[in-house]
Amino acid sequence: MIEVQSVSRRFDDLTAVEDVTLTVGQGEMVALVGTSGSGKTTLLRMINRLVEPTSGRILLNGVDTGTLKPHLLRRRIGYAIQGHGLFPHYTVAQNIAVVPELLRWPKDRIRERVDALLALFQMPPVEFRDRYPAALSGGQQQRVGVARALAAEPEVLLMDEPFGALDPVTRARAQADLRAVQARLGTTTVVVTHDMEEAIALGDRIAVLDRGRLVQYAAPAQILTAPANDFVGQLIGQSERPFRLLALSRVSDHLEPGAAPGTPIDAESSARDALAECLWSGRDALPVVRDGKPVGRVTMAALAAHAGGPG
Amino acid sequence: MTALRRIDPPGLLFGAMGVGALLLPFLHFRPNRIVLGDAVHLGPFYVAMVSGLLAIGMLRLPQWARLGSGVAGAMLLVWLAGALAAELSDGAPAAARVSPASGAWLGLAAFVLLIADALSKMRLALSLRMAALALACGAVAGLLLSGHLAQISVLQEYAARRDVFAAQSLRHLTLAFGSLVGALIVGLPLGLLLYHERRLRTGVMGILNLLQTTPSLALFGMMIPLLSWVAANVPGAAEMGIAGIGFAPALIALFLYSLLPVVGNTVVGLDNASPLAREAARGMGMTPAQVLARVSIPLALPVIMAAVRIVLVQNIGLAVIAGLIGGGGYGTFVFQGLNQTATDLILLGAVPTVAMALVAGIALDLAAEAFER
């Protein structure tokens, strides 16, 4: 658990972060969103003390991080950055092993951990262990970067625009992978992004920052339906809002009994995909299947009703 | 047009050099070591052979064929020089000298460039290139030991100075490598310091730049009073060989000239070591010393290695200047030769210097490449 308590950071006469208080619960994934210069990266870097707060304090599992040695604190916190920051002169395995080596884990434990992480990110260890970062695709480099951040079983994972350098297709896959891995490991995670879509895809909760201040901290659905002010509304994008809202729910949430013609859709697909399919194939309703068996249907009317705002 | 397409552009240049070489005199036959003497040209048969080999080098043929013609051409010219010199010297007075003339040097240069061009286009594996370098050194050594070139004037100068030559070679190497080692011992920590303390950069780099641009003669001049004072006043200094002129000031001058490349490249290399990798290293909990040792320095190493190469090649050449102040090395022969207007003696100092710099440069390139994998 991370508790940020009235934290501010000033650089000369510029206030990067002003009096921010927020709590990230155990096992939660929180997205920090804002435009450039909103202070989101500075806030993230204060958690592992790459930047020191000017005032206020940050507790990690109840302990004031200011009382710990910075490099020892950082070894307990996974850190992944945009453009991955892999060491070009280390192999994939050596890169992932950096923090376990710093913590002096036994050799076989490190080896096991490296292989397990590579397998977790669907990179067969035999094939990838001894490669150099230059011999990997952008998506693979990014996965190694995240695997490295997770290597020493950190209490907390911090990510700064981790997927910023990836193309849209690779990025969507990386987000899904991260979500799955995070759910499996239950690591408390804070991810910085300027992209509201990414924040919605990743965050259990979203913290919106504007000019150093925390303007809203809430679950994605609430951010979408009740933006705290115009700035949050702009970040969401008015025309995108209904679709982003739909993307948060599954087809199974809108299931009703009955039948419909045409190709069925899986109950676990997002409601957004279902609406897209309705529009594209010109149907008012789609048959829904789960594990290949028909379980009912979903109608465009139900989806449309859900996509509307509270007013 | 099709004919043009069969021409290898660098080969054309080597061909032009070769034609120039054939028009110039091949050897000079001189009654003694100082006067100019008569020009000796190659006969038509050998002109035809050399032209044929050059023609092969000019065409877009498989590179092993161009390499072969280069090697054959170089060997032919060397053999001709030795054989003709022996023939001319036979029965001539003892003071007579046969020396290679512009044609021989230019022709040899054309074939050596052809060899280098063919080798680089063959993209040989690292180990094969190392073997090629060793083979070339071995071939030159074998040629000199064989005595085939014994009647060539430069080697006659060598024969007269055989014992001094070995000592001066060693002295030359000591000057070049000793100053490099000194520059590394001082320059690497200094570079590290400047990397951390940006405020010091302008001042220190300014001083090093000033040193670099100071003419060597001026530097020697300034050291004479300084080192004489040291020798007279510091106990033990004179016994160590420190004096106003000689080996010590030469070594110090070379050391000072080496500092700028070493310090400059260390700073640039560390500055340019991937900032992302450094940021990640710090964020993962490395101490500043660990970031330096595990990330910044390894990433800066290729740039630092480049400085080592520059310094070594530069110092081998510059060490000649030590001859001027009695510091020893090949410069001794160069300056003796200049005083006696004996070109052959100058060459006895100059040719080994060039060869040593060339071999050191290539060897360090290969070492750097081996190191990077």
Side-chain angles (χ1 to χ4, degrees), chain B residues 270-307:
Chain B
L270 288 172
D271 268 348
N272 291 355
S274 162
L276 274 178
R278 273 183 298 170
E279 155 89 4
R282 210 159 79 86
M284 284 189 298
M286 287 195 188
T287 60
Q290 285 169 333
V291 175
L292 201 60
R294 300 188 188 189
V295 182
S296 301
I297 291 181
L299 291 180
L301 217 50
V303 186
I304 298 174
M305 280 298 288

XYZ file of all heavy atoms in Angstrom, chain B residues 270-307:
268
model
N 31.064 9.029 -21.350
C 30.200 8.889 -20.171
C 28.922 9.698 -20.349
O 27.829 9.243 -20.011
C 30.944 9.350 -18.915
C 32.052 8.414 -18.443
C 32.837 9.059 -17.309
C 31.488 7.089 -17.980
N 29.067 10.909 -20.916
C 27.884 11.748 -21.144
C 26.883 11.051 -22.050
O 25.678 11.140 -21.851
C 28.299 13.062 -21.816
C 28.584 14.148 -20.809
O 28.246 13.953 -19.628
O 29.136 15.195 -21.194
N 27.417 10.377 -23.074
C 26.524 9.806 -24.074
C 26.046 8.407 -23.739
O 25.238 7.848 -24.469
C 27.203 9.786 -25.443
C 27.381 11.201 -25.967
O 26.918 12.162 -25.344
N 28.045 11.332 -27.087
N 26.587 7.795 -22.679
C 26.114 6.467 -22.299
C 24.611 6.588 -22.043
O 24.183 7.429 -21.252
C 26.831 6.005 -21.042
N 23.845 5.780 -22.750
C 22.388 5.861 -22.764
C 21.787 6.423 -21.471
O 21.837 5.788 -20.427
C 21.818 4.469 -23.040
O 20.467 4.444 -22.652
N 21.207 7.624 -21.534
C 20.620 8.223 -20.335
C 19.477 7.366 -19.791
O 19.284 7.285 -18.577
C 20.072 9.576 -20.814
C 20.507 9.748 -22.213
C 21.050 8.466 -22.725
N 18.755 6.695 -20.690
C 17.665 5.821 -20.249
C 18.194 4.676 -19.409
O 17.629 4.338 -18.363
C 16.930 5.248 -21.468
C 15.825 6.100 -22.063
C 15.236 5.409 -23.283
C 14.732 6.339 -21.030
N 19.309 4.073 -19.878
C 19.868 2.948 -19.137
C 20.340 3.411 -17.755
O 20.154 2.712 -16.753
C 21.037 2.329 -19.919
N 20.911 4.622 -17.708
C 21.377 5.124 -16.414
C 20.214 5.404 -15.481
O 20.242 5.102 -14.293
C 22.208 6.393 -16.622
C 23.651 6.086 -16.897
C 24.437 7.350 -17.022
N 23.944 8.151 -18.155
C 24.317 9.395 -18.393
N 25.139 10.001 -17.584
N 23.858 10.034 -19.439
N 19.154 6.002 -16.061
C 17.952 6.300 -15.280
C 17.362 4.999 -14.718
O 17.013 4.909 -13.539
C 16.943 7.013 -16.195
C 15.485 6.887 -15.786
C 15.034 7.963 -14.832
O 15.846 8.858 -14.541
O 13.886 7.887 -14.366
N 17.300 3.971 -15.577
C 16.756 2.693 -15.127
C 17.638 2.101 -14.030
O 17.141 1.580 -13.032
C 16.648 1.731 -16.312
N 18.955 2.204 -14.213
C 19.881 1.636 -13.233
C 19.674 2.282 -11.863
O 19.625 1.610 -10.838
C 21.321 1.849 -13.697
N 19.530 3.609 -11.875
C 19.327 4.319 -10.620
C 17.967 3.942 -10.026
O 17.858 3.681 -8.831
C 19.369 5.827 -10.900
C 19.872 6.661 -9.756
C 20.355 8.004 -10.277
N 19.251 8.928 -10.540
C 18.720 9.721 -9.613
N 19.176 9.701 -8.382
N 17.740 10.537 -9.923
N 16.954 3.880 -10.896
C 15.609 3.576 -10.425
C 15.481 2.169 -9.865
O 14.589 1.896 -9.078
N 16.389 1.275 -10.281
C 16.303 -0.101 -9.773
C 17.090 -0.280 -8.489
O 17.136 -1.374 -7.941
C 16.806 -1.078 -10.830
C 15.777 -1.283 -11.925
S 16.225 -2.610 -13.027
C 17.732 -1.986 -13.673
N 17.771 0.766 -8.039
C 18.425 0.672 -6.742
C 19.921 0.454 -6.802
O 20.518 -0.058 -5.863
N 20.565 0.853 -7.937
C 22.025 0.814 -7.935
C 22.540 2.062 -7.230
O 21.968 3.147 -7.375
C 22.557 0.799 -9.372
C 22.350 -0.519 -10.076
S 23.366 -0.590 -11.565
C 22.769 -2.102 -12.298
N 23.633 1.908 -6.501
C 24.275 3.073 -5.911
C 24.995 3.828 -7.034
O 25.261 3.246 -8.094
C 25.304 2.651 -4.851
O 26.278 1.849 -5.510
C 24.656 1.829 -3.752
N 25.341 5.107 -6.828
C 26.042 5.849 -7.883
C 27.286 5.114 -8.381
O 27.549 5.087 -9.576
C 26.399 7.164 -7.195
C 25.338 7.348 -6.169
C 24.991 5.963 -5.684
N 28.030 4.485 -7.473
C 29.232 3.762 -7.892
C 28.866 2.570 -8.768
O 29.551 2.261 -9.739
C 30.013 3.299 -6.666
N 27.772 1.897 -8.422
C 27.359 0.744 -9.231
C 26.894 1.178 -10.613
O 27.175 0.503 -11.608
C 26.235 -0.022 -8.518
C 26.749 -0.853 -7.348
C 25.625 -1.391 -6.473
O 24.548 -0.804 -6.389
N 25.884 -2.507 -5.823
N 26.170 2.310 -10.679
C 25.730 2.813 -11.981
C 26.952 3.071 -12.860
O 27.000 2.693 -14.033
C 24.901 4.114 -11.823
C 24.563 4.696 -13.188
C 23.632 3.849 -11.037
N 27.975 3.672 -12.260
C 29.191 3.999 -12.999
C 29.896 2.728 -13.483
O 30.226 2.588 -14.657
C 30.114 4.798 -12.074
C 31.175 5.641 -12.721
C 30.551 6.675 -13.631
C 32.010 6.319 -11.654
N 30.105 1.784 -12.558
C 30.898 0.601 -12.867
C 30.162 -0.358 -13.797
O 30.765 -0.988 -14.656
C 31.291 -0.118 -11.579
N 28.835 -0.472 -13.626
C 28.127 -1.502 -14.393
C 27.480 -0.979 -15.653
O 27.186 -1.747 -16.559
C 27.040 -2.134 -13.525
C 27.615 -2.775 -12.297
C 26.573 -3.558 -11.567
N 27.105 -4.004 -10.293
C 26.486 -4.851 -9.509
N 25.306 -5.335 -9.870
N 27.021 -5.227 -8.373
N 27.192 0.322 -15.693
C 26.459 0.843 -16.850
C 27.262 1.909 -17.595
O 27.614 1.725 -18.759
C 25.084 1.407 -16.421
C 24.317 1.896 -17.639
C 24.282 0.345 -15.692
N 27.601 3.015 -16.917
C 28.188 4.147 -17.643
C 29.547 3.794 -18.259
O 29.778 4.042 -19.438
C 28.350 5.343 -16.707
O 27.098 5.711 -16.177
N 30.435 3.207 -17.466
C 31.773 2.930 -17.993
C 31.735 1.877 -19.106
O 32.307 2.099 -20.174
C 32.748 2.559 -16.858
C 33.009 3.811 -16.014
C 34.055 2.011 -17.417
C 33.974 3.615 -14.872
N 31.036 0.749 -18.908
C 30.993 -0.196 -20.035
C 30.424 0.422 -21.307
O 30.909 0.135 -22.397
C 30.076 -1.316 -19.528
C 30.177 -1.257 -18.058
C 30.394 0.182 -17.712
N 29.427 1.297 -21.174
C 28.835 1.897 -22.368
C 29.758 2.955 -22.973
O 29.686 3.225 -24.164
C 27.471 2.504 -22.048
C 26.367 1.495 -21.713
C 25.053 2.193 -21.422
C 26.182 0.509 -22.861
N 30.633 3.550 -22.153
C 31.543 4.579 -22.660
C 32.805 3.960 -23.260
O 33.564 4.631 -23.945
C 31.926 5.538 -21.536
N 33.021 2.676 -22.999
C 34.288 2.042 -23.361
C 34.665 2.162 -24.838
O 35.826 2.463 -25.142
C 34.265 0.572 -22.922
C 35.593 0.045 -22.411
C 36.180 0.966 -21.364
C 35.429 -1.348 -21.857
N 33.712 1.969 -25.780
C 34.115 2.110 -27.189
C 34.686 3.499 -27.496
O 35.664 3.614 -28.244
C 32.810 1.887 -27.955
C 31.961 1.071 -27.045
C 32.327 1.486 -25.657
N 34.116 4.535 -26.905
C 34.609 5.897 -27.160
C 35.987 6.080 -26.520
O 36.873 6.711 -27.083
C 33.605 6.939 -26.606
C 34.029 8.337 -26.998
C 32.214 6.658 -27.128
N 36.180 5.509 -25.333
C 37.480 5.598 -24.674
C 38.527 4.824 -25.471
O 39.661 5.278 -25.651
C 37.383 5.083 -23.218
C 36.401 5.971 -22.430
C 38.749 5.078 -22.555
C 36.111 5.504 -21.026
N 38.125 3.664 -25.987
C 39.040 2.871 -26.816
C 39.466 3.667 -28.048
O 40.613 3.580 -28.487
C 38.375 1.564 -27.269
C 38.370 0.460 -26.238
S 40.037 -0.062 -25.767
C 40.546 -0.945 -27.252
N 38.538 4.435 -28.611
C 38.870 5.261 -29.778
C 39.965 6.256 -29.405
O 40.885 6.505 -30.191
C 37.631 5.979 -30.284
N 39.880 6.798 -28.188
C 40.903 7.744 -27.735
C 42.250 7.031 -27.610
O 43.288 7.569 -28.005
C 40.510 8.352 -26.399
